[in-house]
Each structure stands twice: as C-alpha cells, then as structure tokens.
C-alpha cells in the first residue's frame, strides 16, 4: 500500500546531507532508514506496475483472440471520462463539459465495418475531406509527357480539363442510448456497443441518402436527376 506521508528520495537525501553538515549522527541514520523504506516501496510499486501491465497485455491477447477489438489509449481515455461524467450527480452538465471527444479511430472502425458488410457501401471510396469546401478533379484521365534532350525547352503542355465540385458540409448523426448499468462494464464493452449502434444507424442513413437522397440538406441520390443544370429547391 502506498504511503502518501513518506518523503521523497530528494527530500530524504537533503535530510541526510543536512545531518552530515550538522554532525547529527542520529538524524543521519534516521533519514537513512527512511531512505531504505522509500527505496523498498518504490521497488514494490514498480514491480506491481509491471505485473499489472503484463496481466493487461495477456488479457488483451486473450480478448483479441476472442474477437474483441483492442482500444488505443485515446479511446480508453474517452470512454472512461464519458462513463465518469455520465455517472456523476449532474450527468447532463458533466457530459456537456466533457473535455474529450470521440476519437477518429472509433469512427474509422465503424466505416471499415460498413464497407466490408454492405455491398453498396463497399464499392464507394470513402475519403476524409478535411473540411474542404471545393474539390478539383481532372476530366481527362490520360495525358502523355514529351521526350527530348535534357536541356530542351518544355514543348508539351497538359491540356486536360479541370472541374470544380462544391463539397457540401452536411452531418449524418444519431443518438446512442446508454443506461448507467452499461457504463460500469468497461471501455471495451462500451466501444463495442457504440460501434454497433453507429454501424446500424450510419449504414441505413448512408444507403438511404446515396440511393434516394433528395439533395435538400442531404446527398442527391442515384435515383434523382443530377447535373450542372439541376437546381435543388425543396428536394
């Protein structure tokens, strides 16, 4: 058990040096005995920490072999802080003031599952836009450079056309119901629950928007008429 009243090594070292300066033999041996206790406690704590890390690593290997997704340190931190906030006396305020956000890796894991389990979504090349407002694409995919001497003038210009596409910033969101009993089951269980709920909600929402979205605060679906001359008003 950790003794919070025990002095640090630096403090004890200073006490021993002061005892030497004061020619205080009893004080020196008293400080020296405390130093031995301090070292013994540090060694025990270091051993316990390494033992806990080894047990955690073995548990992770066992859980991984059973198909449980292993969390990053950032993901564990998020779920633990969320659980603490949700279990507080004023959960609404505590969650609103939470200083961590759901890690990007959690969303990436959901999208990985979406693409592997849904035939339609699996053929879409999802890419993070990074908040881009416009995307420039090449309308002529084939261009050929011109060979010549090293010091010759450049005689070939790339004549392909470019097209600018507006990248609308829209949000696909869903509420995730979580009861207090769930919060006590640990980060791994919470992560699995959150990803499965998001998986179902996002897959349905994405497919509905991609196939039949009316273009009004949502994508223009494949069943709709699209093109440069189409104006979206009420969908």
């Amino acid at each position: 058990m950790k003794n919070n009243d025990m002095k640090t090594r630096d403090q004890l070292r200073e006490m021993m040096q002061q005892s030497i300066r004061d020619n205080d033999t009893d004080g020196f041996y008293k400080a020296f005995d405390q130093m031995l206790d301090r070292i013994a406690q540090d060694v025990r704590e270091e051993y316990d920490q390494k033992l806990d890390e080894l047990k955690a690593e073995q548990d992770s290997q066992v859980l991984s072999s059973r198909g449980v997704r292993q969390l990053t340190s950032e993901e564990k931190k998020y779920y633990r802080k969320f659980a603490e906030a949700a279990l507080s006396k004023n959960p609404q305020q505590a969650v609103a003031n939470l200083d961590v956000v759901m890690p990007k890796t959690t969303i990436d894991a959901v999208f990985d599952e979406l693409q592997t389990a849904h035939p339609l979504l699996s053929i879409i090349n999802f890419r993070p836009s990074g908040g881009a407002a416009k995307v420039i694409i090449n309308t002529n995919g084939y261009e050929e450079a011109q060979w010549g001497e090293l010091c010759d003038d450049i005689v070939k210009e790339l004549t392909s056309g470019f097209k600018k596409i507006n990248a609308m910033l829209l949000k696909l969101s869903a509420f995730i119901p979580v009861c207090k009993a769930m919060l006590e089951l640990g980060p791994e269980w919470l992560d699995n629950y959150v990803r499965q709920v998001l998986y179902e909600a996002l897959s349905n929402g994405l497919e509905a928007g991609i196939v039949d979205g009316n273009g009004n605060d949502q994508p223009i679906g494949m069943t709709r008429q699209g093109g440069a001359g189409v104006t979206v008003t009420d969908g």
Side-chain angles (χ1 to χ4, degrees):
M1 182 179 295
K2 186 174 181 179
N3 184 1
N4 295 325
D5 296 331
M6 185 176 290
K7 292 180 172 58
T8 65
R9 292 195 189 190
D10 289 338
Q11 292 173 326
L12 294 170
R13 195 175 294 112
E14 175 61 30
M15 291 173 58
M16 293 168 63
Q17 293 173 352
Q18 185 62 45
S19 297
I20 293 174
R21 289 193 292 267
D22 296 339
N23 199 23
D24 183 2
T25 304
D26 292 338
F28 175 84
Y29 282 115
K30 182 178 179 180
F32 183 71
D33 288 340
Q34 293 182 48
M35 176 65 81
L36 296 178
D37 292 339
R38 173 80 261 182
I39 294 173
Q41 177 171 310
D42 290 345
V43 171
R44 282 195 300 270
E45 291 177 358
E46 183 179 358
Y47 172 80
D48 291 341
Q49 181 181 355
K50 289 183 177 180
L51 185 61
D52 290 340
E53 291 174 353
L54 180 60
K55 289 180 179 178
E57 183 178 352
Q58 291 176 338
D59 290 343
S60 296
Q61 292 174 353
V62 172
L63 291 173
S64 180
S65 67
R66 295 177 181 177
V68 178
R69 177 174 175 266
Q70 298 306 294
L71 306 185
T72 66
S73 58
E74 184 181 7
E75 289 170 340
K76 288 182 179 180
K77 178 181 178 182
Y78 167 76
Y79 286 116
R80 284 169 179 161
K81 285 205 168 188
F82 173 79
E84 291 173 2
L87 290 171
S88 64
K89 293 182 179 179
N90 190 348
Q92 186 173 359
Q93 180 179 352
V95 171
N97 295 332
L98 203 62
D99 60 351
V100 292
V101 296
M102 181 176 289
K104 178 179 177 295
T105 49
T106 300
I107 305 300
D108 288 342
V110 174
F111 268 84
D112 288 341
E113 184 65 21
L114 288 176
Q115 294 179 62
T116 56
H118 283 254
L120 172 62
L121 301 180
S122 66
I123 61 176
I124 297 176
N125 185 13
F126 288 100
R127 295 212 177 169
S129 65
K134 296 182 183 296
V135 178
I136 298 176
I137 63 173
N138 187 343
T139 58
N140 184 0
Y142 181 81
E143 285 290 347
E144 188 174 297
Q146 183 71 41
W147 285 97
E149 295 291 337
L150 181 60
C151 295
D152 284 352
D153 292 335
I154 297 176
V155 296
K156 174 72 174 179
E157 288 187 10
L158 299 181
T159 58
S160 64
F162 293 94
K163 182 178 179 181
K164 185 163 55 177
I165 300 176
N166 289 327
M168 295 186 301
L169 298 179
L170 300 175
K171 178 172 67 175
L172 182 63
S173 59
F175 283 103
I176 302 178
V178 181
C179 68
K180 289 190 174 182
M182 296 177 179
L183 299 174
E184 300 173 355
L185 297 177
E188 286 78 12
W189 191 95
L190 267 180
D191 174 73
N192 190 21
Y193 173 75
V194 167
R195 285 187 298 106
Q196 289 200 37
V197 173
L198 283 178
Y199 168 78
E200 295 296 337
L202 291 181
S203 60
N204 294 333
L206 281 171
E207 288 179 336
I210 291 169
V211 174
D212 198 38
N214 62 20
N216 188 15
D217 290 337
Q218 57 184 266
I220 299 176
M222 294 186 295
T223 60
R224 308 282 176 161
Q225 179 184 355
V230 175
T231 301
V232 177
T233 52
D234 295 328

